[in-house]
């Protein structure tokens, strides 16, 4: 029975020694601090990478929009130069060489003018006021105060 007590005291001594060595060991505190710093740095790096991916995705989208707008502008200039100056020699028309090679630009988003296929709500139907062809009679209660005093 004494050897069981001795073994138990030995195991308890090992546990107490381990706990004391962990609390007093500066390297353990430094390791814990370094691990926290490492985890923080990994998190910041992942955040930075995600921001970089988002930045390049947005930049690619903007560049795509710019290229579509440029293509639309070039297509417009080529068509209107051919329509407005039909007798212009080919060598003098800078767009004539590429008119045949133009591909129409597909646009998924409608332009503001295309969206509004009806009059805005603040416009009246037909001409009113000064712009109407009908003479308008002024009622007695509609005369401005300054003109009423002058009469």
């Amino acid at each position: 029975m004494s050897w069981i007590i001795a073994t138990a005291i030995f195991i308890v001594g090992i546990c107490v020694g381990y706990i004391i060595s962990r609390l007093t060991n500066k390297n353990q505190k430094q390791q814990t601090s370094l691990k926290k710093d490492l985890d923080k740095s990994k998190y910041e790096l992942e955040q930075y990478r995600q921001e970089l991916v988002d930045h390049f995705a947005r930049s690619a989208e903007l560049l795509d929009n710019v290229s579509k707008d440029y293509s639309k502008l070039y297509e417009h200039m080529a068509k209107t130069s051919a329509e407005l100056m039909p007798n212009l020699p080919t060598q003098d028309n800078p767009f004539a060489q590429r008119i045949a090679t133009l591909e129409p630009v597909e646009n998924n988003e409608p332009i503001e003018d295309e969206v509004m296929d009806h009059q805005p709500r603040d416009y009246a139907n037909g001409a009113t006021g000064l712009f109407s062809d009908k003479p308008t009679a002024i009622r007695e209660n509609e005369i401005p105060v300054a003109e009423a005093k002058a009469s």
Side-chain angles (χ1 to χ4, degrees):
M1 180 104 147
S2 65
W3 65 276
I4 295 175
I5 294 174
T7 308
I9 291 174
F10 180 73
I11 292 174
V12 170
I14 290 175
C15 291
V16 170
Y18 178 75
I19 292 172
I20 290 173
S21 70
R22 293 221 4 129
L23 293 176
T24 59
N25 192 355
K26 291 182 181 178
N27 288 337
Q28 184 65 30
K29 290 179 184 176
Q30 187 179 13
Q31 280 181 342
T32 305
S33 173
L34 287 175
K35 183 163 177 25
K36 286 180 183 177
D37 289 344
L38 177 65
D39 291 341
K40 181 182 172 186
S41 296
K42 283 182 180 179
Y43 177 75
E44 289 174 353
L45 179 64
E46 191 59 37
Q47 287 275 335
Y48 177 73
R49 284 182 179 165
Q50 187 60 42
E51 288 175 8
L52 193 63
V53 167
D54 293 344
H55 166 74
F56 282 123
R58 178 72 176 137
S59 297
E61 180 182 328
L62 291 172
L63 284 173
D64 187 44
N65 290 344
V66 166
S67 68
K68 285 180 182 178
D69 289 344
Y70 175 75
S71 296
K72 285 183 199 175
L73 176 65
Y74 195 87
E75 182 178 334
H76 170 74
M77 293 298 290
K79 286 181 181 177
T80 55
S81 68
E83 291 172 3
L84 296 175
M85 298 181 291
N87 298 330
L88 188 67
T90 306
Q91 66 270 12
D92 291 341
N93 189 351
F95 301 104
Q97 299 160 354
R98 297 208 28 212
I99 289 176
T101 62
L102 282 179
E103 297 177 10
V105 177
E106 294 180 17
N107 188 7
N108 298 337
E109 301 171 7
I111 303 173
E112 285 184 32
D113 295 340
E114 295 172 358
V115 171
M116 292 183 49
D117 54 346
H118 61 279
Q119 289 181 343
R121 293 184 182 169
D122 61 342
Y123 287 171
N125 290 333
T128 61
L130 294 174
F131 301 111
S132 67
D133 294 334
K134 300 175 187 173
T136 306
I138 300 176
R139 295 185 210 131
E140 187 67 33
N141 59 357
E142 293 180 354
I143 298 175
V145 176
E147 291 179 17
K149 288 182 182 179
S151 309

